[in-house]
Structure formats: C-alpha cells, structure tokens
Amino acid sequence: MIRRRFVSLAIAAAPLVAASTAWAQADPLPSWNESASKRAILDFIARTTAEGGGDVVPVAERIAVFDNDGTLWTEQPIYFQFAFAIDRVKALAPQHPEWKTLDPFKSVLAGDMAGLAATGEKGMLEIVAATHSGMTVEAFTKTVEDWLATARHPRFHRPYTELVFQPMLELMTFLRTNQFKTFIVSGGGIEFMRPWTEKVYGIPPEQVVGSSGVVKYELRDGKPVLIKEPKVEFIDDGPGKPVGINRFIGRRPVFAFGNSDGDRQMLEYTAGGTGLRFMGIVHHTDAAREYAYDRQSHIGKLDKAWDEAVQRKWTVVDMKADWKVIYPFERK
Amino acid sequence: MIRRRFVSLAIAAAPLVAASTAWAQADPLPSWNESASKRAILDFIARTTAEGGGDVVPVAERIAVFDNDGTLWTEQPIYFQFAFAIDRVKALAPQHPEWKTLDPFKSVLAGDMAGLAATGEKGMLEIVAATHSGMTVEAFTKTVEDWLATARHPRFHRPYTELVFQPMLELMTFLRTNQFKTFIVSGGGIEFMRPWTEKVYGIPPEQVVGSSGVVKYELRDGKPVLIKEPKVEFIDDGPGKPVGINRFIGRRPVFAFGNSDGDRQMLEYTAGGTGLRFMGIVHHTDAAREYAYDRQSHIGKLDKAWDEAVQRKWTVVDMKADWKVIYPFERK
C-alpha cells in the first residue's frame, strides 16, 4: 500500500522524468527509526491521500499544524525568543540607564537568573514589551535577523536556527509532498518567527500563527509604517491555540503535532473533527543528544496532555528511541 | 512584450500539451474593455513576472489583496452582511419577544429603515452582536450557507453570491496563473465570508482577512467547540487593514484593489513598499447595470482615497466605461 503510494507520488512530482525505482522506494522519513510512531505517521498520510479510499481527505482540507518551541526546534535551557529578549536588553541598556537599578532589567544585566525568575511572569512580559516594541515591524524583523546571525546556543554553540529537528523537517516535507498545507501554531511571537520560518522550515509568513502585540498604522514623514506597541494583543497558547487556528486558518486541522500542555487544546480540537485525524506529541527523552524533561519542567511541561495522549491513543514520539538524528548537523 | 508573456505562460501552465496559437493569444481579461485600466494591469503583471526583468517580484512576495464589499461584489443598497443580519433578526424574533418593543430590533421587525438608521452605529453593532454570537463557529457557518441558498437581492432577484464582478474574477484568476497569491482584506466579518469565498472567488478560508468577534474555546459535553461571543475583537477597516495584513499575511502586498475610503490605508501601505506596485480603485459609475456613487455615499464612500489616487496616479477603474459586463450572468 505504502510503496504503491510512493510510486504514484514520484510520477506526480516529476511528470517529465521517468520515475526511477530507487526514488520510488526511498524512505520519506529517513531520520525516523522503524517504530510505532513512524508507522502511525506513514499510515495516516497513506490513508488520507489514497484516492478512492474511505479515509481520503480533500486537498483543500489537508491542514497540518505544528507547535514550534520543543516541537520543531529545541526550547531549552530557555525559550530561544527569551534568549533574544535578554540579549536585546543588554544591547539597549546604554540607552536606558534606569535599568541598572530597576528589575527585571537589573537582574538581566547582572546575569542574575534567580533574581529574574523572582520577577515572575510580570517581569518576563516587561522584558518582552521593552524589547519587542517602539519600532516598526520592519526594524524589529531586522533585529531578529541580526541576532540569529550572531547568537549561539549556550550548549551547542551553534546558531539557534540549526537546532531544529531533522525528523520533523522530513515530516513537514513529506506532508507537503502529499499536498498538506503546513502551518506553525506557536505560543511564540508571530513576528519573531516569520523572518526565518520560510528558509528554515519551508513555511511562509502567512502560514505562521503565533502570539502578537498590538500594532498601529502611522504615517511617519509621509511614509506608511506599522509601529509595534508595548501591549499584548493575543496569546496563542493553551485554549488560545484553537482560537488562533480558527482566526488565521478558518478550518479545523486534520493533523497536529505538539510537545507540551500548551498544545493540549490544539490536539483536542484537531481530534474533535470527523474522519481520520492524527495527533502527535514529541516527548523529550534524550538528555544526551538534546534534553529530557516532561511533568516537572518549567519549560515545555508535558503532563496532562501526555495523560490524554496515552488514554486516547495519540502518537507519543520517544525522541531517544524514535529519532536516528536530532539535528540536521548530525547527519554524515 | 505582453504577447511573449502569454506564450511563456501557456507553456508553463500546460507542460504536456503544445501551446496552441489560439490559446497563446487569448485575452486573460475578456470582460475588460481596452482601456488605461486594463493596460495598467497587464503591464504590471507582465513586468513583475518577466524573468530577468528589472521589475520582477519573487514568487513568494507576489501578494495581491482585494477589498470585498464594492470591490469584488456589490455593496448596495446595503452591505450584504447587514441584509443577512436583518434576516437573522426576523428569524430569531420568536425567541426574543422583547425585541418587539426594543430598538434597534423593533425598527428592523417593523421594516422601519429610518428608525433603524436613527439607532446609528450602536444599533448596527447590537444587531450584529445579536445575530453573530451565542453559537459555535460551525453553527454560524451553517446559517450563512442556508441564508445564501435562499436570500435574494432586492433589485436583481438573484442569490447574493451571483452579484460578484466578472472582471475582478478574471483579474484574480490571471494573477493566480502568474503565481500571485490572492487574499481578501475586508471590513466584513471573516466568518461571514469564509463559507463561500473558495467556491465563488477561488480564495480559500486561510486567505481571507476580515473583521472578527471574540471566540472562546470550550468543551461542551466533552466535545471541543469554539463559541462566538458578542464582543468585537478586530475591525479590519481603514488603518485596521494594514494591521490586518501584517497580522495575517506578514508581508507588504505588491498589488491592492479597493473601492472606498476604508481602503485608503491599505492602498497607501501597499504603495509604501519598494519596487513596482499596483494600486487600484473600482469607481462605481454605472447606475444602469449596477450602482453609481462616490463622495456622498453612506455606503462605500469614495472621497479622500479618490483624490489620493488621482494625485498619485493609481488606477481608477471606471466601471461603466471599463467593464464589458458586470456580473457573470450577463455573459452570453
């Protein structure tokens, strides 16, 4: 069944070239070990795209959604966007002498992570507001691009955009080959992601759903610009994810992948439609190659969604057992 | 130049069939009279897609945005969505005996349009809130579909979705043939449009930007649903249009079409980017075949945007002079 599907794909994808046997038999998910997870994914895609089959999903409804932090790239030791915000506080500090004595900025500048943690969510939001507003959308995009070009992950000493999961890249490519439209649905900031998702994931800006701040239209010196304001507009997390999906996509997905309790409602919402559905969770079990964390983690806590996944037989990927490689740079 | 472009298009679009001379010379905008408007459109598309040309726009950046009411379909004598809301008030009245004595509902039920007008914007918002909330997104979609199947326009006695502009359908198709991605950016409700835009315009739900109400995620009897609440979330009109474009699309468009002052900022924002841009306005000049209105109209007022268009040499379509047919049903 699956092999037949690959052959027809090869023909569809290369109408002017004879499909070679080698290509037709190629594994679309080479970084995935043979496992229940891999079989569940391949089976879902084969059944929902088998023309004339009872489970086929019309092309227009082939909507696949992916959480970003912890699902498509690493989220430890801190969310990468928060690492960006901390670096921005340091870069902007000379223009804000008052930050030297004012938390949460004081703690950031002193490298006092315990002090920063003590400022709680309020402190985090202040840091995000101070570093993500007061400029045009274009200027913000430039700061993200500049940061990604120079910042390095503290453990892997590589650009953050290299810390994406090779098996998930293969999965998204395979879905797109099968005419699924892939979307990111992330608690992260929409404008932090859009500058690089196309290059890194093959997902264009208009297929990125995320949290956002208020933006205001203005004419500055006769030039129309959008200014980022220090005010939260929408939090695309938990119950906000189905809301964000409805707002941006307007269809219920048939395929969803997450990794934490923040993805639970997105997975439930996906499961709640009719017909064949796929719900997947990345379980971080590999302290040697990446990180191992779940129920007790402050970042990417996986507790209730895990219980629900087990109970409802959703696919839980065991990173250590199921993935041959984690990052693209590990490949020979 | 333009003829060469058609030939290369024909080859690109039909790789397995030899391009016939007849096809290669076919007019992609047959419902447009030869005019400055038509020439400006064809010239823009030819130049932005001519490989190796100085004005070529990369495929990923070929974003074209269209207002809906008055740009893609008729908006007189009242916005079609408001006709829907009025019909919904009538349908829901038996469940709301208090409406008989309470404006704006009382005026609607009595057919007293002057009384309704006297309730102003506040009255209109109350009617929209009462008819667009308190149900799931799916249930609302169903009421829209049911209404469209039975409601008829008071002058043309046809389903509202037949009152779309044939020349604009041709334009959107031609843009898509040239790998532009077409989006609606409308002051109308996003959930009022999405049920039919794919069938009528070829624009899928995820490419519809519009005004929206707050939506809440809930489990009802264990089933995940999204409930529409009686609260405005976002008004995608005037300065809200560039904001909506930024939020949903994340790129500045290169091509924009509107018809009223509510589209002015969207046109300005489009014009404000670098490289070749197209800004167009539909001027309703045809009282015989459609409607004639501009500076003094309560609906679709075209005043400041018209002045700006003339001054900045944007394309102003003279509906009466430039369009051979208005609606698809006029074609022989």
Side-chain angles (χ1 to χ4, degrees):
Chain A
M1 179 59 176
I2 286 172
R3 181 167 305 177
R4 268 229 320 279
R5 177 78 205 145
F6 294 166
V7 173
S8 76
L9 265 179
I11 292 167
L16 303 176
V17 184
S20 78
T21 309
W23 203 95
Q25 292 180 344
D27 180 350
L29 302 177
S31 298
W32 292 70
N33 284 313
E34 298 310 316
S35 63
S37 300
K38 182 171 180 171
R39 279 191 302 276
I41 290 169
L42 292 176
D43 182 60
F44 174 85
I45 297 175
R47 287 170 66 188
T48 50
T49 58
E51 281 186 34
D55 294 317
V56 71
V57 173
V59 168
E61 290 165 30
R62 293 183 193 170
I63 302 292
V65 292
F66 292 83
D67 168 59
N68 184 43
D69 296 310
T71 300
L72 297 180
W73 73 354
T74 291
E75 61 184 346
Q76 300 282 1
I78 55 173
Y79 291 126
F80 295 178
Q81 186 175 0
F82 201 56
F84 162 77
I86 285 175
D87 284 351
R88 290 301 299 156
V89 167
K90 291 174 186 165
L92 294 168
Q95 299 159 45
H96 295 273
E98 74 280 10
W99 284 358
K100 275 185 205 151
T101 54
L102 184 75
D103 256 331
F105 306 102
K106 181 182 139 192
S107 295
V108 169
L109 296 173
D112 174 8
M113 287 298 126
L116 174 59
T119 69
E121 196 183 312
K122 187 168 166 290
M124 247 177 84
L125 282 174
E126 274 181 65
I127 287 171
V128 170
T131 55
H132 286 62
S133 69
M135 74 278 281
T136 65
V137 167
E138 273 100 345
F140 181 74
T141 296
K142 179 85 169 51
T143 67
V144 173
E145 288 169 345
D146 289 349
W147 181 77
L148 287 173
T150 55
R152 295 294 177 266
H153 187 274
R155 172 174 162 195
F156 295 101
H157 309 295
R158 286 180 177 268
Y160 287 95
T161 46
E162 290 187 13
L163 301 179
V164 297
F165 302 140
Q166 174 65 24
M168 297 304 277
L169 296 180
E170 294 168 3
L171 171 55
M172 289 194 290
T173 298
F174 189 51
L175 283 166
R176 290 192 289 258
T177 305
N178 282 281
Q179 296 179 279
F180 282 80
K181 206 163 175 176
T182 51
F183 289 82
I184 289 173
V185 178
S186 169
I190 198 165
E191 280 160 353
F192 177 74
M193 295 182 283
R194 281 175 165 165
W196 51 271
T197 55
E198 182 144 40
K199 201 166 58 183
V200 174
Y201 298 139
I203 294 183
E206 62 269 27
Q207 285 162 230
V208 177
V209 182
S211 297
S212 56
V214 170
V215 159
K216 200 177 157 209
Y217 178 78
E218 273 181 26
L219 288 179
R220 285 198 175 175
D221 305 324
K223 208 179 136 56
V225 291
L226 293 168
I227 306 295
K228 286 173 68 66
E229 304 210 314
K231 198 178 159 200
V232 171
E233 181 188 67
F234 176 61
I235 298 291
D236 188 51
D237 197 35
K241 289 206 174 191
V243 170
I245 288 169
N246 180 62
R247 177 68 59 247
F248 281 74
I249 310 177
R251 301 191 209 252
R252 201 187 280 249
V254 294
F255 186 106
F257 235 112
N259 78 299
S260 77
D261 284 0
D263 302 313
R264 187 181 175 198
Q265 288 87 349
M266 173 173 85
L267 296 163
E268 283 174 351
Y269 181 62
T270 302
T274 54
L276 207 60
R277 306 268 145 176
F278 182 93
M279 283 63 63
I281 286 178
V282 175
H283 185 195
H284 293 261
T285 52
D286 197 332
R289 293 186 300 171
E290 203 244 7
Y291 294 90
Y293 57 99
D294 42 54
R295 294 192 197 275
Q296 307 301 325
S297 180
H298 290 294
I299 291 172
K301 178 175 177 170
L302 176 62
D303 184 38
K304 289 183 182 166
W306 191 7
D307 291 340
E308 189 167 350
V310 170
Q311 190 201 326
R312 302 180 67 177
K313 300 192 192 339
W314 296 345
T315 295
V316 180
V317 172
D318 179 335
M319 186 180 256
K320 186 172 179 180
D322 293 354
W323 288 358
K324 281 184 201 164
V325 299
I326 309 288
Y327 300 123
F329 57 77
E330 292 170 30
R331 289 176 305 169
K332 279 125 214 130
Chain B
M1 179 61 175
I2 286 173
R3 181 166 306 174
R4 268 230 319 280
R5 177 76 204 147
F6 293 167
V7 173
S8 76
L9 265 179
I11 292 167
L16 303 176
V17 184
S20 78
T21 308
W23 203 95
Q25 292 180 343
D27 181 350
L29 303 177
S31 298
W32 293 70
N33 285 313
E34 298 310 317
S35 63
S37 300
K38 181 171 180 172
R39 279 191 301 275
I41 291 169
L42 292 177
D43 182 60
F44 174 85
I45 297 175
R47 286 170 66 188
T48 50
T49 58
E51 281 187 35
D55 294 316
V56 71
V57 173
V59 168
E61 291 165 29
R62 293 182 193 169
I63 302 293
V65 292
F66 292 84
D67 168 59
N68 184 42
D69 297 309
T71 300
L72 297 180
W73 73 354
T74 292
E75 61 184 347
Q76 300 281 2
I78 56 173
Y79 291 126
F80 295 178
Q81 186 175 1
F82 200 57
F84 163 77
I86 285 175
D87 284 352
R88 290 301 300 156
V89 166
K90 292 174 185 166
L92 294 167
Q95 299 159 45
H96 295 273
E98 75 280 12
W99 285 357
K100 274 186 207 151
T101 54
L102 184 76
D103 255 331
F105 307 102
K106 181 182 138 192
S107 295
V108 169
L109 296 173
D112 174 9
M113 288 297 125
L116 174 58
T119 68
E121 195 182 312
K122 186 168 167 291
M124 248 176 84
L125 282 173
E126 274 182 64
I127 286 171
V128 170
T131 54
H132 286 63
S133 69
M135 75 278 283
T136 66
V137 167
E138 273 99 346
F140 180 74
T141 295
K142 178 87 169 50
T143 67
V144 172
E145 288 169 345
D146 290 349
W147 181 77
L148 287 173
T150 55
R152 294 294 178 266
H153 187 274
R155 172 173 161 193
F156 295 100
H157 310 294
R158 286 179 176 267
Y160 287 95
T161 47
E162 290 187 14
L163 301 179
V164 297
F165 302 140
Q166 174 64 24
M168 297 304 278
L169 297 181
E170 293 167 5
L171 171 55
M172 289 194 290
T173 299
F174 189 52
L175 283 166
R176 291 191 289 259
T177 305
N178 282 281
Q179 295 178 279
F180 282 79
K181 207 161 173 177
T182 51
F183 288 81
I184 290 173
V185 178
S186 168
I190 198 164
E191 279 159 355
F192 177 74
M193 294 183 283
R194 281 175 166 165
W196 52 271
T197 55
E198 183 143 40
K199 202 167 59 183
V200 174
Y201 298 139
I203 294 184
E206 63 268 26
Q207 285 164 227
V208 177
V209 181
S211 297
S212 56
V214 171
V215 159
K216 200 177 158 209
Y217 178 78
E218 272 181 23
L219 289 178
R220 285 198 174 174
D221 307 323
K223 209 178 136 54
V225 291
L226 292 167
I227 305 296
K228 286 173 69 66
E229 304 211 315
K231 197 179 159 199
V232 170
E233 181 188 66
F234 176 61
I235 298 292
D236 188 50
D237 197 35
K241 289 206 174 192
V243 170
I245 288 168
N246 180 62
R247 177 68 59 248
F248 281 73
I249 309 177
R251 300 193 210 251
R252 200 187 281 249
V254 294
F255 186 106
F257 235 113
N259 78 299
S260 77
D261 283 1
D263 302 312
R264 188 181 173 196
Q265 289 87 350
M266 173 172 86
L267 295 163
E268 284 174 350
Y269 182 62
T270 302
T274 54
L276 207 61
R277 306 268 144 175
F278 182 93
M279 283 64 62
I281 286 178
V282 175
H283 185 195
H284 293 260
T285 52
D286 196 332
R289 293 186 299 171
E290 204 245 6
Y291 294 91
Y293 58 98
D294 42 55
R295 295 191 196 275
Q296 307 301 325
S297 180
H298 290 295
I299 291 171
K301 177 177 178 170
L302 176 62
D303 183 38
K304 288 182 181 166
W306 191 7
D307 292 339
E308 188 167 350
V310 170
Q311 189 201 327
R312 302 180 66 178
K313 300 194 190 341
W314 296 345
T315 296
V316 179
V317 172
D318 178 336
M319 186 180 257
K320 186 172 178 180
D322 293 353
W323 287 358
K324 281 185 201 163
V325 300
I326 308 288
Y327 300 124
F329 57 78
E330 292 170 28
R331 289 176 304 170
K332 277 126 216 128

